[in-house]
Amino acid sequence: MTHHFCPSQLSLDPLGPDWDCPLGSKDLEEEEGPWGGGSGLPPPGCFPGSWRQDVGLDCKGSLEGAEARAWTVYGYSLLQSCLQQAGLPETQDRSQVPRTGCPGAEVTLCILGSPSTFLSVLLEGGVQSPGNMLLCLSPAWLTKVPAPGQPGEAVLLVSKAVSFHPGGLTFLDDFVPPRRATYFLAGLGLGPGRGREAAELARDLTCPTGASAELARLLEDRLLTRRLLAQQGGVAVPATLAFTYKPPALLRGGEASPGLRLVELSGKEDQETLVKEEVGAFLHSDALGDALQVAVKLSGWRWRGRQALRVHPRGELGAVADTVLALLEKLEEEESVLVEAVCPPARLPFPGSPPPGPELAVRICAVVCRTQGDRPLLSKVVCSVGREDRPLRHQSSLPQTLEVALARCGLGEPGQVAVVRQRVKAAAEAALAAVLALEAGLSAEQRGGRRARTDFLGVDFALTVQGRTLTPVALELNSGPCLEACGALEGLWAAQRPRSAAEEAAAAPLVETMLRRSAHYLMEGKQLLLIGAGGVSKKFVWEAARHYGLKLHLVESDPNHFASQLVQTFIHFDVTEHRRDEENARLLAELVRARGLQLDGCFSYWDDCLVLTALLCQELGLPCSPPAAMRLAKQKSCTQLHLLRCHGPPWPAPSLHAVPCCPLESEADVEKAVHQVPLPGVMKLEFGAGAVGVRLVEDAPQCREHFSRIARDLQGEADHPGIGLGWGNAMLLMEFVEGTEHDVDLVLFGGRLLAAFVSDNGPTRLPGFTETAACMPTGLAPEQEAQLVQAAFRCCLGCGLLDGVFNVELKLTGAGPKLIEINPRMGGFYLRDWILELYGVDLLLAAAMVACGLRPALPTHPRARGHLVGVMCLVSQHPQVLSSTASRETLQALHDQGLLRLNLLEDILVPGEYEEPYCSVACAGESPAEARLRLLGLCQGLGIDGPHYPVAHFLSHFK
């Protein structure tokens, strides 16, 4: 028996053998849907429900006509019906008590469009950014006002909206004063009515927009997008012959595309001879392959969403030509008539299958989103299955998973399904990549505004056989229909069970992009004072500041620091003598005032400068954690001893995570400590950084010897700059705890935990504690990961650290997490880069937002998009390798090729007893095992691995 896929039929959306809609443009405009630009009253809704009708849908200061009011009521009823079917509560009207908010200082994600189309985005936004995802049911709820100092651009203000919250809770809210949109996404159209109003609202905004009429007009032109996908993305598309009348500039000229033939017409009359010649050549060409039928349809913005088409046998040249000639009369400029192959079904024989039945057709619908670094990411695949003789259309069939759909058609083997999914993923992501490349070459006017971008795309696929291989063929690009289909699939079981941690909403990456672009918008132009420039490992700061539009003013001890040329203002000031931090803070505050700097915030990521920064913020009245909290976290013994006294309530108390220790300032302190702290123990610098001077000590003689060595070798800042010796060289002895080591990077705002990222560290080379290897995300079980996050959070709160980005080092023992130390600043080494790469979250931007008193725009539950495993290289262990097979130039070349991820931590090859790592080399993979194996092979090839530096051992914790 054979099963057949008839994908092309479903892409064509026919209703029968005759035209499925009248061809007159007037009729089409009258029939267009509520958000597609139509006019007239809304269709009669099928909304059985008992929700309240007496809600405040009117917006103060804006009057709607009867027709517009009817559309608003229709949208509200549609929203309530969607919520009802998803098992979610009715919207509560609290518009009688307007919300005040913080205009200009809060994230506002605004959607204007059909609730059913955008429901998945709205619900996901309510989870990721509670209360900040707003649905406007009427253009009258929004206002554009000219942007000061930005001619031709406007600010979008929201006066009324439905706000979304966790658990599917929704509220009808008025905002006084209005909220300023930080991101806008609209259902668009070009005809009269709401679609046109939405298009006008989206045009030339100062805030980021996820769509515009200009971009939609390009992307929904089948001919343009097919050529784009075939030429730029290498994506399979149906063989197509196009007759176009005065084509748009983007279609003129250019290279020919395989299987696509473009015929430019000078007029619409007297084209019979040309049409018959071209159609005849096309029907007999090899480009059609095994296709037995062709479809004739119209292409252009006016025809979006309602296809007038007819299917003909491939041999009926006369009938095909007559259909083309009939449609040519209806063309307007920049429109086309397409003759395209109806892809033949893929025949899949399976012994023992049930008796033959009706041939099945499948539509594959993929949603792909733009993520960090403008990289496309497939977020969801949805299918529809139906009989071939009853072709499928969006909204006329039940959505199914790819696995269920393929199984119904006889393809149930998991390996084969995985191959199909991978091919759909590759094609969908290539499609969005091609679109983003096209947009990059367009002017702001062509895009519909300086900040208009395509942030997500729906791609409809057919599955056919090309060269004995199952191949997804891209039929069309859209936005709403595919997103709505994915939301419908998620809604099938939303009311029955909660989404598991392994499941992700189709809209999750889109909402993350909305938040990321909102953060950029809120921070653009902010004036920030930065204390301490740091070294080569912080070079990313200056590029990031330029990318985000931050205006940095730098205070730095080195008058010749390279960053002095990269900032708005450079203040040369010696910040290395920390015993004078209070006095220096007052002096710096006077310098800032004397220069007339109007600062929005002040922050530091450099260990030495954290207390000074807190004191300076206090002097200038800028947001920051209290200086006392910074001092407590900076001095390691004080941190532990303070937390040991924090017994709660609430419980579990921070004392559970603290480790006994003793401060050491003299040899007498050492003698006392060895009787108070169980040995073996760990000796480290009280204010140190980078694990410099940290050592395992087994007994009292080793304690005395190590204390004497540090007292002799590391006396002041000049002996080893940048590790805290400006605070002195006091030490501490703390109990050594067994367990695996982990970093937790936290973002806190107002004492609330906004985000946490856990990474695993490999075993160190005892008796030293210099880091050897790392893995992200953590390989721990969810319960253990949660224990680490909560331990880190409680320790920060216990020290009074309420606002900022903090790095907490812990060990996971049999008795739970134990604190190593708190670094009251952004994680160092590779951490910022890895978190940005895997989660799309920039800790530097988050720290800058907190410094400005802004709540960072972060997803509530960020998800990693892969795995990274890395190893540290040390000059003492790799002196020859780092000058030859693994030289800086070689590693950088491999990084540029995407074969490894390089983070340079030092810029000179100088070995020493108290060295820090020279660089981090990492590999990515879809699983930890894949990343680990790649890294191990790379290290063996480059010579980093060896008997003296066993990389396999350092990676052993990550299995």
Side-chain angles (χ1 to χ4, degrees):
M1 172 197 174
T2 59
H3 291 273
H4 301 255
F5 293 89
C6 291
S8 56
Q9 291 276 358
L10 31 120
S11 75
L12 302 175
D13 291 345
L15 290 177
D18 298 317
W19 304 117
D20 70 334
C21 67
L23 293 178
S25 60
K26 180 173 184 290
D27 293 332
L28 283 174
E29 289 179 357
E30 290 175 352
E31 293 182 7
E32 259 193 78
W35 304 97
S39 59
L41 295 173
C46 181
F47 302 136
S50 57
W51 49 83
R52 292 182 57 180
Q53 305 295 323
D54 58 336
V55 292
L57 297 178
D58 293 324
C59 186
K60 293 178 182 178
S62 179
L63 297 177
E64 288 187 304
E67 188 177 295
R69 167 75 179 179
W71 279 111
T72 304
V73 172
Y74 172 86
Y76 185 79
S77 296
L78 178 57
L79 171 63
Q80 300 316 305
S81 181
C82 290
L83 294 173
Q84 180 188 62
Q85 292 184 34
L88 299 173
E90 177 184 347
T91 299
Q92 300 299 304
D93 183 2
R94 56 184 189 186
S95 59
Q96 299 304 312
V97 182
R99 325 305 290 177
T100 53
C102 306
E106 58 193 345
V107 169
T108 301
L109 312 176
C110 179
I111 291 180
L112 173 65
S114 167
S116 60
T117 298
F118 293 107
L119 186 65
S120 62
V121 184
L122 296 162
L123 293 175
E124 183 65 21
V127 172
Q128 292 200 34
S129 190
N132 297 323
M133 177 61 81
L134 306 181
L135 170 65
C136 288
L137 296 169
S138 168
W141 295 5
L142 294 156
T143 309
K144 281 176 79 171
V145 297
Q150 295 172 274
E153 293 188 335
V155 173
L156 186 66
L157 302 178
V158 187
S159 298
K160 190 182 195 72
V162 177
S163 60
F164 284 72
H165 299 258
L169 296 178
T170 55
F171 299 93
L172 182 62
D173 288 325
D174 279 13
F175 303 105
V176 179
R179 289 182 67 157
R180 188 182 77 177
T182 60
Y183 185 96
F184 184 54
L185 180 60
L188 298 166
L190 289 183
R194 293 201 160 192
R196 176 166 289 176
E197 289 183 73
E200 290 301 324
L201 283 170
R203 185 172 289 114
D204 293 323
L205 293 177
T206 58
C207 74
T209 57
S212 69
E214 288 77 3
L215 291 177
R217 184 162 194 160
L218 295 175
L219 299 182
E220 300 207 20
D221 184 323
R222 274 192 174 94
L223 177 57
L224 175 62
T225 53
R226 281 186 185 176
R227 192 164 89 160
L228 176 69
L229 297 189
Q231 285 186 346
Q232 306 297 327
V235 179
V237 298
T240 304
L241 169 66
F243 297 93
T244 180
Y245 177 57
K246 296 185 178 179
L250 289 172
L251 275 174
R252 296 181 199 137
E255 298 178 3
S257 304
L260 296 182
R261 166 73 174 158
L262 178 62
V263 181
E264 295 187 27
L265 301 177
S266 56
K268 295 183 289 183
E269 310 294 335
D270 303 321
Q271 300 291 343
E272 291 86 352
T273 303
L274 175 62
V275 166
K276 288 182 178 179
E277 288 178 357
E278 291 288 349
V279 168
F282 179 70
L283 295 179
H284 291 93
S285 70
D286 294 337
L288 269 68
D290 297 330
L292 300 177
Q293 294 178 305
V294 294
V296 187
K297 62 173 66 172
L298 288 157
S299 174
W301 177 266
R302 287 193 305 141
W303 307 99
R304 62 193 279 270
R306 44 190 336 97
Q307 281 308 304
L309 61 90
R310 182 173 282 171
V311 177
H312 295 281
R314 181 174 173 178
E316 295 184 356
L317 188 156
V320 175
D322 289 343
T323 304
V324 171
L325 290 168
L327 290 180
L328 285 181
E329 299 176 8
K330 311 300 178 185
L331 286 190
E332 293 184 0
E333 292 185 11
E334 301 189 355
E335 294 181 343
S336 306
V337 177
L338 306 184
V339 183
E340 66 178 39
V342 173
C343 302
R347 303 176 183 275
L348 304 172
F350 287 92
S353 297
E359 205 165 302
L360 294 178
V362 178
R363 178 194 286 265
I364 298 178
C365 175
V367 170
V368 59
C369 301
R370 183 164 69 94
T371 62
Q372 170 66 32
D374 290 341
R375 285 173 294 188
L377 176 72
L378 178 73
S379 65
K380 189 77 79 174
V381 176
V382 173
C383 300
S384 298
V385 177
R387 289 171 49 159
E388 175 206 2
D389 55 347
R390 298 173 187 173
L392 304 171
R393 305 177 64 180
H394 279 296
Q395 302 177 334
S396 67
S397 56
L398 289 176
Q400 304 175 18
T401 63
L402 180 67
E403 289 75 11
V404 169
L406 294 182
R408 288 189 173 181
C409 298
L411 189 66
E413 201 279 314
Q416 293 176 314
V417 174
V419 169
V420 172
R421 179 178 291 278
Q422 182 57 39
R423 289 173 183 163
V424 170
K425 172 181 169 67
E429 292 178 352
L432 181 55
V435 168
L436 297 181
L438 171 69
E439 288 182 10
L442 300 178
S443 66
E445 183 180 3
Q446 288 173 311
R447 291 197 309 271
R450 179 169 56 94
R451 296 187 184 270
R453 298 287 189 278
T454 296
D455 285 334
F456 76 102
L457 201 61
V459 189
D460 275 323
F461 287 106
L463 195 64
T464 189
V465 173
Q466 292 185 350
R468 302 182 61 81
T469 300
L470 278 174
T471 303
V473 176
L475 303 162
E476 65 176 3
L477 305 182
N478 61 63
S479 52
C482 282
L483 187 64
E484 188 168 13
C486 291
L489 177 65
E490 293 167 2
L492 284 177
W493 52 69
Q496 308 303 319
R497 61 176 176 84
R499 198 167 72 220
S500 72
E503 294 174 306
E504 183 174 54
L510 173 58
V511 174
E512 291 175 15
T513 295
M514 292 176 165
L515 290 169
R516 186 162 47 249
R517 295 187 67 192
S518 291
H520 296 189
Y521 176 59
L522 287 171
M523 289 300 291
E524 187 175 44
K526 293 295 186 191
Q527 307 279 341
L528 285 146
L529 186 65
L530 183 60
I531 313 300
V536 65
S537 66
K538 297 297 185 288
K539 278 190 173 180
F540 65 82
V541 171
W542 320 110
E543 181 181 343
R546 185 170 61 252
H547 174 66
Y548 296 133
L550 304 179
K551 308 298 184 185
L552 294 186
H553 308 272
L554 176 63
V555 176
E556 167 59 38
S557 303
D558 179 4
N560 300 313
H561 197 287
F562 69 88
S564 63
Q565 305 301 312
L566 304 175
V567 292
Q568 305 292 310
T569 306
F570 180 73
I571 300 175
H572 174 227
F573 191 96
D574 185 4
V575 296
T576 59
E577 182 46 69
H578 301 295
R579 295 178 183 88
R580 300 176 56 189
D581 274 348
E582 287 85 354
E583 178 186 350
N584 287 339
R586 289 191 292 272
L587 292 173
L588 278 171
E590 291 174 9
L591 280 174
V592 167
R593 296 187 187 105
R595 293 190 179 220
L597 300 182
Q598 300 296 313
L599 299 175
D600 297 295
C602 171
F603 76 119
S604 179
Y605 45 73
W606 201 239
D607 273 293
D608 279 10
C609 301
L610 299 174
V611 174
L612 173 62
T613 300
L615 290 164
L616 180 56
C617 286
Q618 193 174 66
E619 288 284 336
L620 296 172
L622 295 171
C624 188
S625 287
M630 283 294 190
R631 282 198 183 95
L632 192 58
K634 183 61 187 164
Q635 190 166 356
K636 295 175 175 59
S637 65
C638 289
T639 306
Q640 299 284 4
L641 295 173
H642 172 79
L643 293 176
L644 281 170
R645 295 191 293 270
C646 295
H647 299 293
W651 187 87
S655 59
L656 289 174
H657 311 299
V659 177
C661 68
C662 280
L664 309 174
E665 293 190 12
S666 65
E667 293 181 356
D669 292 334
V670 175
E671 296 304 321
K672 184 170 59 175
V674 295
H675 294 98
Q676 294 181 354
V677 176
L679 297 177
V682 178
M683 289 186 72
K684 58 171 69 176
L685 285 165
E686 187 77 86
F687 301 96
V692 175
V694 184
R695 188 173 183 86
L696 179 71
V697 286
E698 302 279 357
D699 49 34
Q702 287 187 9
C703 292
R704 300 185 194 101
E705 179 188 354
H706 190 56
F707 182 83
S708 298
R709 184 187 303 116
I710 294 297
R712 179 185 69 246
D713 297 345
L714 301 177
Q715 297 183 13
E717 182 72 13
D719 295 323
H720 201 308
I723 64 162
L725 292 173
W727 295 85
N729 64 348
M731 301 189 74
L732 74 150
L733 174 65
M734 63 186 294
E735 182 182 342
F736 175 72
V737 291
E738 294 282 358
T740 55
E741 189 171 334
H742 306 270
D743 278 58
V744 183
D745 288 273
L746 305 171
V747 181
L748 273 62
F749 187 75
R752 302 282 181 179
L753 177 63
L754 302 188
F757 307 93
V758 180
S759 55
D760 305 335
N761 292 338
T764 60
R765 299 168 61 244
L766 297 175
F769 286 89
T770 302
E771 186 172 326
T772 58
C775 175
M776 182 181 277
T778 177
L780 295 173
E783 180 180 340
Q784 294 173 310
E785 180 182 13
Q787 287 178 352
L788 285 170
V789 169
Q790 286 303 308
F793 181 38
R794 283 192 289 266
C795 289
C796 286
L797 293 183
C799 290
L801 298 171
L802 306 180
D803 296 277
V805 176
F806 308 119
N807 170 259
V808 183
E809 299 176 28
L810 302 116
K811 273 196 170 180
L812 186 60
T813 73
K818 294 295 181 180
L819 178 67
I820 299 174
E821 63 189 44
I822 298 175
N823 300 303
R825 42 78 180 158
M826 174 179 69
F829 290 166
Y830 49 82
L831 284 168
R832 179 261 181 182
D833 177 58
W834 282 21
I835 291 168
L836 181 60
E837 172 69 14
L838 293 174
Y839 297 92
V841 172
D842 192 342
L843 294 185
L844 176 67
L845 184 63
M849 293 189 78
V850 174
C852 293
L854 300 178
R855 180 188 176 98
L858 301 176
T860 306
H861 304 290
R863 292 171 180 261
R865 311 293 182 194
H867 297 263
L868 282 169
V869 176
V871 65
M872 294 292 195
C873 298
L874 295 101
V875 176
S876 63
Q877 302 301 311
H878 307 102
Q880 286 78 34
V881 168
L882 291 175
S883 300
S884 55
T885 54
S887 68
R888 179 173 177 174
E889 293 75 20
T890 300
L891 295 177
Q892 186 63 53
L894 292 171
H895 173 93
D896 295 340
Q897 295 171 40
L899 298 176
L900 60 78
R901 194 156 198 90
L902 173 66
N903 290 102
L904 201 63
L905 310 177
E906 298 288 342
D907 56 355
I908 52 175
L909 295 170
V910 180
E913 182 179 358
Y914 304 106
E915 70 177 338
E916 297 179 81
Y918 172 73
C919 68
S920 165
V921 173
C923 285
E926 293 188 4
S927 69
E930 180 183 341
R932 187 178 68 249
L933 289 173
R934 282 182 180 171
L935 179 64
L936 184 57
L938 190 81
C939 289
Q940 290 170 346
L942 293 174
I944 296 171
D945 178 45
H948 63 289
Y949 203 76
V951 172
H953 170 64
F954 300 147
L955 304 182
S956 60
H957 282 190
F958 310 145
K959 290 184 179 179

